[in-house]
Amino acid sequence: MGALLAEVNGSLYIDDDRKIIRDKAYTLVKQYADELKEFGQFVFRKDEEHVMLYASKYLRNKKAEYRRKKKEEENTQEEAVS
């Protein structure tokens, strides 16, 4: 019974050539997109409008949230000292 189960489960993981090509293409495009984003951030570092186009909205939001929380903590500490 165990041998039959192993054979069935093993057949589920046979790679399809189309899937392999798709995965390789995605990886290659992602690498180029990440490289382009990195260069864009450097080249346009002095132009705020262009920098935002090459930066992740998710990371901008996370950084803003971190700064907001840090400012709130500083304010509560100042109030505690007063």
Side-chain angles (χ1 to χ4, degrees):
M1 186 72 163
L4 179 62
L5 182 61
E7 186 176 331
V8 170
N9 287 339
S11 68
L12 295 176
Y13 298 107
I14 294 175
D15 287 327
D16 186 16
D17 289 338
R18 291 175 292 182
K19 181 184 177 297
I20 292 172
I21 292 170
R22 182 201 68 192
D23 291 349
K24 286 182 179 182
Y26 171 82
T27 302
L28 187 62
V29 169
K30 177 149 178 31
Q31 287 174 348
Y32 285 134
D34 290 345
E35 189 174 341
L36 180 64
K37 186 169 80 170
E38 183 180 336
F39 290 150
Q41 286 176 336
F42 174 76
V43 170
F44 298 114
R45 67 188 178 275
K46 295 179 183 176
D47 185 1
E48 280 296 319
E49 288 183 28
H50 279 96
V51 168
M52 290 186 71
L53 296 174
Y54 290 96
S56 166
K57 183 177 180 182
Y58 173 79
L59 290 178
R60 285 194 311 268
N61 290 343
K62 285 301 229 182
K63 288 179 184 178
E65 181 181 344
Y66 172 77
R67 287 190 299 267
R68 182 184 53 77
K69 285 182 181 180
K70 191 171 183 179
K71 188 174 182 179
E72 287 176 1
E73 288 174 2
E74 289 174 357
N75 289 341
T76 56
Q77 287 177 355
E78 288 176 5
E79 289 174 1
V81 171
S82 301

